[in-house]
Amino acid sequence: MTDDSHADVLDNWRQVQSAVAEAEAAAGRAVGSVRVVAVGKTHPAARIHPLLAAGHRLFGENRVQEAAAKWPALKAEFPGVELHLIGPLQTNKVREAVALFDVIETVDRPKLAAALAEEMARSGRRPACYVEVNTGLEPQKAGVVPSDADAFIEECRDRWCLPLRGLMCIPPAEADPVPHFRCLAELGRRHALPVLSMGMSADYPAAVAAGATHLRIGTAIFGRRPAIG
Ligand SMILES: *Cc1c(COP(=O)(O)O)cnc(C)c1O
């Protein structure tokens, strides 16, 4: 599957790795301590394959249906893949999501938390969960608003007993992302949640400086996406 037409992916990947290392060093953080979730959404398996062949194992997809079409074969070929769901999850897709994903980054409402708890009990599979926080209070965006976050995090832990590991945010497109990263980091500290998933192609060095443990990077690795997606 790997061929020269996708050589740009590995070049991009090396550039991202060195930019992350530079940001880690600048922030006084251990080089290699921040993990990169390579976001392959809209890109065909043939474009993801070179990164897997180079040894990378951490990937993200934003749609259950697309991931279900692409990833079972890739997971079978490359043991040790860790696949993150980074897009909104409908309750009618919870069964499929729990079966396929290793981390669900977008837990954002009680109905979804309840459905995840039920499916985890039924299937015995317990993918790690992150709570998505709508730090920009954007009405069109998923995520729990910051003023409801404390209560929702406690509900996920205490009522639903979800394997809650961290928090995720997508700052507003035009805003300075740093206050949003700091808001997420403060919430993580308050709840002793070790994982902060924040930082995308346009702003990941700032996310590293603000304490991100996981960056979700698509365009800078795989190039521009086709119009839909
Ligand atoms: C697409 C996507 C990304 C990656 O965005 P890029 O700007 O292409 O790096 C990160 N997080 C989420 C939730 C996404 O949907």
Side-chain angles (χ1 to χ4, degrees):
M1 248 200 289
T2 303
D3 66 59
D4 288 349
S5 64
H6 299 301
D8 60 313
V9 172
L10 287 184
D11 291 342
N12 294 343
W13 173 234
R14 284 184 203 102
Q15 286 179 29
V16 166
Q17 282 182 303
S18 54
V20 171
E22 208 173 293
E24 288 169 329
R29 302 181 60 185
V31 171
S33 60
V34 178
R35 303 186 68 203
V36 176
V37 178
V39 178
K41 65 185 187 196
T42 77
H43 295 288
R47 231 170 140 60
I48 294 171
H49 203 268
L51 212 49
L52 284 160
H56 192 64
R57 289 292 179 270
L58 181 55
F59 291 85
E61 290 284 345
N62 72 331
R63 291 184 181 179
V64 176
Q65 232 48 57
E66 182 184 347
K70 277 195 315 210
W71 279 95
L74 290 170
K75 277 189 158 188
E77 187 178 354
F78 295 97
V81 164
E82 181 181 317
L83 189 61
H84 289 218
L85 177 63
I86 63 169
L89 178 55
Q90 308 299 321
T91 49
N92 65 3
K93 299 260 171 62
V94 159
R95 181 160 295 184
E96 211 173 351
V98 166
L100 180 63
F101 290 93
D102 304 292
V103 176
I104 295 175
E105 296 205 11
T106 51
V107 182
D108 68 348
R109 58 199 192 279
K111 191 180 170 202
L112 176 59
L116 284 166
E118 190 184 343
E119 177 57 20
M120 287 185 196
R122 192 200 65 84
S123 67
R125 249 185 79 81
R126 291 178 63 75
C129 293
Y130 308 166
V131 164
E132 179 175 0
V133 184
N134 185 355
T135 56
L137 305 171
E138 294 175 282
Q140 81 283 12
K141 235 178 222 169
V144 60
V145 297
S147 57
D148 293 342
D150 289 326
F152 183 61
I153 289 165
E154 283 166 17
E155 179 179 341
C156 286
R157 273 184 168 156
D158 302 339
R159 176 160 185 208
W160 304 114
C161 302
L162 294 178
L164 191 62
R165 300 279 179 272
L167 302 172
M168 178 272 221
C169 77
I170 311 168
E174 306 303 329
D176 174 3
V178 171
H180 300 272
F181 296 156
R182 291 198 176 134
C183 168
L184 202 71
E186 171 52 32
L187 198 55
R189 255 192 304 278
R190 201 151 70 227
H191 291 276
L193 287 167
V195 171
L196 296 174
S197 172
M198 55 190 196
M200 304 170 32
S201 291
D203 56 18
Y204 66 89
V208 171
T213 61
H214 290 61
L215 311 169
R216 307 179 310 271
I217 302 181
T219 310
I221 297 170
F222 296 109
R224 288 224 325 274
R225 286 181 285 275
I228 303 302

